[in-house]
C-alpha cells in the first residue's frame, strides 16, 4: 500500500491556497489529512477538500509540532513565510514556499520540476524548497529544452501579466473599473492596487523600481532563471500589467549559439513536458489567456525566425499563473520530492 501524506497549507483561504487544494484533488494526491491554516481573521471559516469540510486553523509556531505534517505548502506572503516556514521545517516537514522570501537564498533549492528536479535532493539542508516567480516558471519551461538542444546565448522577454498576479484585490479592481469605464465614468476609476487605472490601459510597472531602473519583478525573472537553469546567459525583461483577469503571456526572443529554424524549435518543444504547441497562424491558432486559464500547461506559438539573424527565434507563450506559475508547480515539486525520496 502506498504511503499517504499529512499536508498543511498556510494561506489556505487565498487564491493560490485554494488552487493548491484543487490541484491536489485533480492529481488524486495521496493525502492522509489536510490542515488548512491562515491568519486569525479566517478563524471559524471552513474549506472543502477531498469531499470534506475542514475548519481553518490559525497559523502558529506550535501547530506544526502538534500536527507533524509531511508536506507544508506556504502561500500567504513573504512575511508569513519569514516568520513560520522554519518552524514548519523543524517539525520534520518539507516546506514548499510560494513566496519570494527564500528564492535567492543559496542553500534553498529553487525548483521547476521540468527543468531542475535534481535540485530537490538538497531540500534537507534547510527543509525548504522555493517555488519560483510565476512569470519565470513558464519561461524556463520553454527555455530549458531549447538550451539543451541548441545552447542559448541571450534572451529578451516582455511579459503581459494578468491582474490576478496581484491577488484577489487586483481582480476586483479591474472588475470595478471596467464597470465604471463602460459608463464612461473614467474619473471614478481611482487606482488602489495598481499605480494607475488598469481598465483599458497597460502599465509597464510591476513591483518596485530598483536603482538600475528595472523593477523587482524584472530582476526576479533574470536572477531566478540563472539559479534554476544553472546558467548565466544575458537576459533582459520588461514586465507589464495588462487588463486580463488570469494567465500571463510572454513574448520571448532567444539568441542561440547556432543557426536554428522555427521547425527545429517546434520539434524540440513538441516533446517537452507540459508544453502544448498551438502554432498555426493560417487558422488564427496561437496561445491566448482564455485558452490557458484553468489548465496545467504552458502554451507556445507564434514561433518564427528572425528576419535578419539566423540564430534568433521569436515566440509567444501563455500559462495560467495561478496554476502553472504557482499551485501546479508547487504540487509537482511535492510529487517529485516523494519520487526522489522513495528512490
Amino acid at each position: 500500500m502506498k504511503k499517504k501524506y499529512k499536508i498543511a497549507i498556510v494561506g489556505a483561504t487565498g487564491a493560490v491556497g485554494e488552487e493548491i487544494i484543487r490541484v491536489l484533488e485533480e492529481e488524486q494526491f495521496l493525502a492522509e489529512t489536510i490542515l488548512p491554516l491562515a491568519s486569525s481573521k479566517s478563524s471559524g471559516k471552513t474549506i472543502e477538500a477531498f469531499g470534506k469540510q475542514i475548519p481553518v486553523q490559525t497559523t502558529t509556531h506550535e501547530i506544526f509540532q502538534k500536527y507533524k505534517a509531511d508536506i507544508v505548502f506556504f502561500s500567504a506572503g513573504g512575511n508569513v513565510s519569514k516568520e513560520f516556514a522554519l518552524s514548519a521545517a523543524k517539525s520534520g516537514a518539507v516546506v514548499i514556499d510560494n513566496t519570494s522570501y527564500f528564492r535567492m537564498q543559496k542553500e534553498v533549492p529553487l525548483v521547476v520540476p521540468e527543468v531542475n528536479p535534481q535540485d530537490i535532493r538538497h531540500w534537507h539542508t534547510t527543509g525548504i524548497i522555493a517555488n519560483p516567480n510565476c512569470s519565470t516558471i513558464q519561461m524556463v519551461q520553454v527555455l530549458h529544452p531549447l538550451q539543451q538542444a541548441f545552447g542559448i546565448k541571450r534572451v529578451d522577454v516582455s511579459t503581459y501579466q494578468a491582474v490576478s498576479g496581484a491577488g484577489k484585490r487586483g481582480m476586483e479592481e479591474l472588475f470595478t473599473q471596467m464597470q465604471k469605464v463602460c459608463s464612461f465614468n473614467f474619473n471614478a476609476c481611482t487606482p488602489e492596487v495598481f499605480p494607475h487605472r488598469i481598465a483599458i490601459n497597460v502599465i509597464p510597472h510591476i513591483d518596485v523600481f530598483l536603482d538600475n531602473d528595472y523593477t523587482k519583478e524584472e530582476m526576479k525573472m533574470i536572477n531566478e532563471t540563472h539559479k534554476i537553469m544553472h546558467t548565466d546567459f544575458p537576459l533582459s525583461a520588461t514586465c507589464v500589467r495588462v487588463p486580463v483577469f488570469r494567465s500571463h503571456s510572454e513574448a520571448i526572443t532567444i539568441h542561440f549559439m547556432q543557426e536554428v529554424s522555427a521547425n527545429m524549435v517546434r520539434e524540440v518543444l513538441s516533446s517537452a513536458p507540459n508544453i502544448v504547441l498551438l502554432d498555426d497562424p493560417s487558422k488564427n491558432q496561437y496561445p491566448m489567456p482564455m485558452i490557458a486559464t484553468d489548465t496545467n500547461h504552458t502554451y507556445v506559438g507564434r514561433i518564427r525566425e528572425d528576419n535578419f539573424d539566423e540564430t534568433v527565434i521569436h515566440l509567444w507563450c501563455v500559462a495560467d499563473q495561478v496554476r502553472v506559475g504557482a499551485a501546479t508547480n508547487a504540487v509537482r515539486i511535492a510529487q517529485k520530492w516523494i519520487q526522489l525520496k522513495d528512490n
Side-chain angles (χ1 to χ4, degrees):
M1 182 179 293
K2 290 186 177 181
K3 172 180 169 60
K4 292 189 175 182
Y5 294 87
K6 297 177 71 174
I7 296 170
I9 302 171
V10 180
T13 58
V16 175
E18 292 173 351
E19 208 68 36
I20 287 173
I21 292 169
R22 289 182 60 195
V23 176
L24 289 170
E25 291 173 333
E26 291 168 8
E27 292 292 311
Q28 298 181 329
F29 199 92
L30 293 172
E32 179 182 336
T33 55
I34 289 183
L35 175 66
L37 298 171
S39 69
S40 57
K41 295 178 182 179
S42 296
S43 179
K45 292 183 178 180
T46 61
I47 59 101
E48 183 176 347
F50 291 87
K52 298 178 181 179
Q53 293 294 327
I54 307 173
V56 177
Q57 298 189 41
T58 302
T59 307
T60 64
H61 293 283
E62 295 73 23
I63 202 163
F64 298 110
Q65 285 294 338
K66 180 180 178 182
Y67 181 64
K68 293 292 184 181
D70 298 297
I71 302 166
V72 181
F73 296 98
F74 271 77
S75 60
N79 288 333
V80 174
S81 294
K82 177 182 178 181
E83 182 174 357
F84 293 105
L86 288 175
S87 292
K90 287 176 182 177
S91 74
V94 58
V95 170
I96 301 172
D97 182 47
N98 196 57
T99 75
S100 63
Y101 184 75
F102 293 100
R103 287 177 188 159
M104 295 311 298
Q105 293 188 17
K106 184 177 180 180
E107 67 277 11
V108 175
L110 182 66
V111 174
V112 176
E114 297 90 340
V115 179
N116 60 329
Q118 70 282 356
D119 289 356
I120 291 174
R121 295 187 185 277
H122 303 299
W123 75 274
H124 53 80
T125 304
T126 60
I128 298 169
I129 301 170
N131 208 28
N133 186 45
C134 50
S135 51
T136 304
I137 291 172
Q138 69 186 76
M139 181 175 70
V140 297
Q141 286 179 333
V142 175
L143 295 181
H144 175 65
L146 298 175
Q147 161 78 344
Q148 288 188 311
F150 312 118
I152 291 176
K153 187 176 180 181
R154 178 185 173 92
V155 172
D156 293 280
V157 58
S158 294
T159 70
Y160 305 72
Q161 296 182 220
V163 294
S164 52
K168 290 182 177 179
R169 290 180 63 237
M171 291 189 285
E172 290 167 357
E173 182 153 301
L174 174 59
F175 182 78
T176 300
Q177 289 184 359
M178 286 300 297
Q179 290 177 311
K180 294 174 180 177
V181 164
C182 287
S183 1
F184 296 96
N185 192 7
F186 289 89
N187 292 331
C189 295
T190 304
E192 296 180 3
V193 177
F194 304 110
H196 301 278
R197 188 189 79 235
I198 186 60
I200 317 183
N201 193 25
V202 297
I203 305 172
H205 176 187
I206 299 177
D207 214 321
V208 297
F209 281 98
L210 304 176
D211 290 342
N212 63 357
D213 291 333
Y214 282 80
T215 64
K216 191 175 180 180
E217 181 82 358
E218 292 160 355
M219 292 308 300
K220 284 179 188 177
M221 294 191 71
I222 296 167
N223 296 328
E224 291 179 15
T225 297
H226 289 160
K227 182 174 180 178
I228 295 163
M229 295 183 64
H230 299 285
T231 187
D232 60 356
F233 55 72
L235 192 158
S236 184
T238 301
C239 294
V240 181
R241 189 74 70 188
V242 297
V244 170
F245 282 107
R246 189 151 158 171
S247 293
H248 290 350
S249 305
E250 297 177 356
I252 307 176
T253 294
I254 309 167
H255 299 250
F256 291 103
M257 296 288 192
Q258 58 183 281
E259 293 182 7
V260 176
S261 70
N263 282 336
M264 291 167 66
V265 169
R266 291 187 189 100
E267 183 177 356
V268 169
L269 293 180
S270 65
S271 59
N274 299 312
I275 296 287
V276 175
L277 280 183
L278 190 60
D279 192 22
D280 192 347
S282 66
K283 297 180 180 177
N284 295 333
Q285 292 181 354
Y286 30 71
M288 293 180 289
M290 69 179 190
I291 293 170
T293 294
D294 211 28
T295 77
N296 294 325
H297 302 294
T298 295
Y299 295 80
V300 182
R302 295 297 318 280
I303 300 170
R304 59 204 186 276
E305 298 155 15
D306 189 77
N307 287 321
F308 303 95
D309 189 333
E310 293 178 342
T311 67
V312 175
I313 292 287
H314 308 277
L315 57 80
W316 173 259
C317 76
V318 184
D320 185 330
Q321 92 287 352
V322 182
R323 285 201 160 221
V324 173
T328 301
N329 197 72
V331 172
R332 286 174 179 161
I333 290 173
Q335 291 171 322
K336 184 61 70 171
W337 174 78
I338 291 170
Q339 179 185 336
L340 293 172
K341 181 179 66 67
D342 292 342
N343 291 331

